[in-house]
Amino acid sequence: MCRPSWCHLYPVYSWRRMAGINHGSPSRISTAATHTMDELCRVIILLISLISFVSSTVASTKPPHIVFFLADDLGWHDVGYHDSIIRTPNIDKLAAEGVKLENYYVTPICTPTRAVLMTGRYQIHTTMQHGVLMAQEQRCLPTDEVLMPQKLKESGYSTHMVGKWHLGFYKWDCTPNHRGFDTFFGFYLAGGEYFTHTRKCHGHRLDAWDLRDGDKMVGPEYTGEYSTMLYARKAQEVIRKQDPNVPMFLYVSFQAVHAPLEVPDSYADAYGKDIYDQSRKLYAGMTSCMDEAIGNVTQTLKDRGMWDNTVVVFSTDNGGATGFGASNYPLRGQKCGHYEGGVRGPAFVSSPLLKPHVRGTKNTELMYVGDWLPTFVHLAGGTTHGTKPLDGVNQWEAISEGLPSRRKEILHNIDPIRAKSPTLKTEPWMLNPYFDIRVMAAIRVGHWKLLTGQKGNANWQEPPELGNRLTNPYTNNILQLYHIKEDPEERNDISATRPDVVYRILLRLQALNSTAVLPTHVDPEFSLSDPVKHDMAWSPWA
């Protein structure tokens, strides 16, 4: 046989020793010895190839950096790739290079979505199913819940958060730096002023700071700097300080595009000839500014040589608030409600780690904000052992390879505290033995969606640039059933014609409700939490 040229570099006596030949001249090497040397050569080649393969495999399975962008109150129709008048070139490019998640769900409001994201558990299992956390409520996401950054730290990640927390702060143990984040720069409350970084108190008579660097209040240092660009700048600082060889989790939770509608003039003025509605114009400027911020952060990842091993996820936290410039067109409803406009959100994953055949595609598999924790832990090479029972599932194969989703249902919520719908004698499902349909609840099972009790805004509303026409369908059905694949705009309630489906889903609601933990309700603590007692800052008080 023909041996590799490097084999001939060794002196013959070395090969003779390796072959066990200790006598005779080199010219008398036996055929058997030659075969033995050939076999040794093959073994060496095999070992070198194996080492090379293992090295490349280790490199390719190195835990990726994970960057999660969360927009606040962004509507379905408010990204460029959903045919919006709002210009989002960076978001569009990332989405076009990645996978658009077109059957992706969040919860209807801020706090529950963040609770589900951080825990991988339905809000009915974390006491977060009723409303949002208010400034002076003495409660938070329970501290015995294991959060996403804690699980990622187990796999060697550095963990960083920039932006909106909104999971409670009445005691330090509730706040980001005490829940698994190595660094935190942002604010605790639901929202506030974009330039002054304050939130009103004392009946809106006084301004109190709400901006932290770790545990330190830093509001006065950044007065006048627009929060969207400030948070982008802080995220860029995190990336520049990061050792590229250490996996990073960066959670960028924008204040935008939540009310109040505030943005530097240049961003709103860019829509002067395109949008006449003032709220819509300001909102569009805020969205374009956020898009620019996302572009700045992702460019920094590329500048640092981290992009090729990074997974970027973009999501909204709930549907858009149409009263503050957002549009969920053509979906029904808006923020705070269980119709699709309140719970179906724009989202995508962008990464060089995606399989080539899925890049640039739309994924219509069922996915949920609660799926990110197990998905990220999987990417990190970790385990979900140690968490409470998860409702989220690992969706990486569905996203990166285009395989079917592992999720078959989503519980949007069951809220036992929200005022019940009035009893109607004509309601055919009122006396069913499984679930009190006066309770506000919604669930997706396969392509079916069942809603009970209060449902939130029920309108279909065009954005101002398309006419702003609003349709308000009158219906007195407490229970409604839709087939979302065939009827994504929820125009045809078919509960009367599919009682078999209704009963099957009511049974499922009953089962899920039996696992619920009652929401905590604590009266506000107005005295101890008063910012006047904390140097005019919103601060922990317990």
Side-chain angles (χ1 to χ4, degrees):
M1 65 169 287
C2 180
R3 293 190 295 270
S5 59
W6 56 265
C7 291
H8 297 290
L9 297 177
Y10 291 91
V12 174
Y13 67 85
S14 298
W15 283 104
R16 292 173 68 246
R17 286 201 191 98
M18 293 167 66
I21 302 170
N22 297 311
H23 60 278
S25 65
S27 61
R28 296 178 181 176
I29 297 175
S30 67
T31 302
T34 303
H35 287 322
T36 302
M37 288 187 286
D38 288 340
E39 290 301 319
L40 285 169
C41 192
R42 288 195 196 97
V43 170
I44 292 170
I45 294 170
L46 180 62
L47 287 171
I48 291 173
S49 300
L50 182 61
I51 291 169
S52 176
F53 172 76
V54 169
S55 298
S56 63
T57 301
V58 169
S60 65
T61 57
K62 182 181 178 181
H65 307 295
I66 300 169
V67 179
F68 193 97
F69 293 111
L70 187 66
D72 198 338
D73 290 5
L74 183 69
W76 177 263
H77 188 60
D78 297 334
V79 290
Y81 70 83
H82 278 171
D83 299 321
S84 177
I85 196 172
I86 298 175
R87 293 181 284 275
T88 55
N90 295 292
I91 287 173
D92 297 347
K93 185 175 186 294
L94 288 167
E97 295 171 347
V99 178
K100 300 169 186 172
L101 307 181
E102 298 293 88
N103 200 12
Y104 169 81
Y105 289 86
V106 288
T107 83
I109 45 179
C110 304
T111 296
T113 287
R114 287 164 168 74
V116 174
L117 171 66
M118 286 289 110
T119 63
R121 286 158 49 78
Y122 287 139
Q123 59 269 46
I124 66 165
H125 294 147
T126 62
T127 74
M128 295 283 110
Q129 65 267 55
H130 178 68
V132 299
L133 285 171
M134 307 306 289
Q136 293 167 297
E137 279 192 79
Q138 193 157 303
R139 67 185 182 107
C140 67
L141 181 63
T143 54
D144 61 350
E145 295 285 345
V146 178
L147 306 193
M148 181 186 291
Q150 294 170 300
K151 295 305 297 179
L152 292 176
K153 283 178 72 69
E154 292 176 5
S155 295
Y157 275 69
S158 66
T159 57
H160 310 274
M161 180 180 174
V162 177
K164 175 176 173 175
W165 177 237
H166 205 194
L167 287 173
F169 68 97
Y170 80 96
K171 59 182 180 180
W172 288 113
D173 285 349
C174 297
T175 60
N177 277 125
H178 303 265
R179 303 299 300 266
F181 286 104
D182 294 329
T183 67
F184 168 67
F185 185 96
F187 64 107
Y188 292 154
L189 298 178
E193 304 299 317
Y194 281 77
F195 291 98
T196 64
H197 315 297
T198 59
R199 181 73 181 252
K200 298 289 185 181
C201 63
H202 282 259
H204 290 263
R205 290 182 296 104
L206 300 176
D207 289 316
W209 303 108
D210 185 21
L211 187 65
R212 299 269 166 178
D213 188 349
D215 294 342
K216 181 184 177 183
M217 192 276 291
V218 293
E221 299 175 32
Y222 297 95
T223 298
E225 188 167 357
Y226 187 63
S227 73
T228 301
M229 301 313 290
L230 171 61
Y231 297 146
R233 182 166 67 82
K234 290 297 179 179
Q236 290 173 279
E237 289 179 8
V238 168
I239 296 167
R240 292 187 182 111
K241 294 176 182 177
Q242 178 71 25
D243 180 349
N245 296 311
V246 176
M248 171 190 71
F249 172 57
L250 174 58
Y251 172 37
V252 184
S253 178
F254 286 109
Q255 180 177 354
V257 286
H258 194 289
L261 300 179
E262 298 177 345
V263 69
D265 292 340
S266 60
Y267 293 96
D269 291 346
Y271 290 94
K273 296 181 179 180
D274 301 319
I275 301 176
Y276 65 87
D277 181 271
Q278 186 63 18
S279 292
R280 182 71 169 160
K281 183 183 297 185
L282 289 169
Y283 176 93
M286 294 167 72
T287 305
S288 288
C289 184
M290 179 178 66
D291 176 81
E292 181 181 316
I294 290 171
N296 292 345
V297 175
T298 53
Q299 184 59 49
T300 304
L301 288 165
K302 295 173 183 177
D303 294 343
R304 290 279 287 134
M306 297 166 65
W307 177 255
D308 287 343
N309 193 41
T310 294
V311 174
V312 167
V313 178
F314 175 85
S315 169
T316 186
D317 67 339
N318 45 249
T322 57
F324 292 96
S327 174
N328 303 301
Y329 177 81
L331 302 178
R332 184 180 186 180
Q334 61 163 309
K335 175 182 178 178
C336 299
H338 281 147
Y339 289 111
E340 292 291 280
V343 296
R344 192 170 186 168
F348 63 80
V349 177
S350 191
S351 172
L353 302 178
L354 297 169
K355 300 290 185 182
H357 71 277
V358 303
R359 297 178 196 170
T361 63
K362 293 181 180 180
N363 187 309
T364 58
E365 295 293 313
L366 191 63
M367 297 193 189
Y368 181 55
V369 65
D371 295 335
W372 295 120
L373 185 147
T375 300
F376 291 167
V377 170
H378 165 77
L379 285 172
T383 172
T384 57
H385 296 319
T387 68
K388 293 186 177 183
L390 296 181
D391 300 301
V393 295
N394 171 22
Q395 297 280 27
W396 185 242
E397 287 186 344
I399 295 168
S400 66
E401 300 181 34
L403 297 180
S405 171
R406 298 176 60 198
R407 175 170 292 284
K408 304 304 177 186
E409 69 176 28
I410 295 173
L411 177 66
H412 294 302
N413 199 19
I414 301 172
D415 185 349
I417 292 181
R418 185 67 64 91
K420 295 181 179 180
S421 296
T423 301
L424 297 174
K425 295 181 180 179
T426 58
E427 174 59 56
W429 306 104
M430 187 63 67
L431 299 180
N432 85 84
Y434 308 119
F435 186 80
D436 184 352
I437 65 170
R438 297 172 300 163
V439 171
M440 184 179 186
I443 184 173
R444 172 85 179 263
V445 179
H447 296 306
W448 297 103
K449 180 178 177 183
L450 186 78
L451 302 94
T452 65
Q454 293 191 28
K455 302 165 188 67
N457 182 297
N459 298 333
W460 294 281
Q461 184 171 356
E462 295 176 340
E465 61 272 15
L466 294 181
N468 210 26
R469 286 171 295 192
L470 184 147
T471 304
N472 186 353
Y474 174 76
T475 176
N476 62 355
N477 293 345
I478 298 176
L479 179 148
Q480 297 172 15
L481 177 70
Y482 300 94
H483 192 282
I484 297 301
K485 184 176 182 180
E486 296 177 357
D487 180 23
E489 296 176 23
E490 296 168 297
R491 293 182 180 273
N492 301 302
D493 173 14
I494 52 178
S495 58
T497 59
R498 292 305 304 266
D500 56 321
V501 176
V502 172
Y503 276 119
R504 176 162 54 88
I505 298 180
L506 284 173
L507 272 168
R508 185 62 188 140
L509 268 179
Q510 179 191 48
L512 287 165
N513 195 38
S514 70
T515 69
V517 179
L518 289 177
T520 53
H521 179 72
V522 181
D523 291 332
E525 173 48 69
F526 293 113
S527 177
L528 295 177
S529 67
D530 189 346
V532 172
K533 298 180 178 180
H534 302 277
D535 298 321
M536 287 310 299
W538 293 104
S539 300
W541 64 87

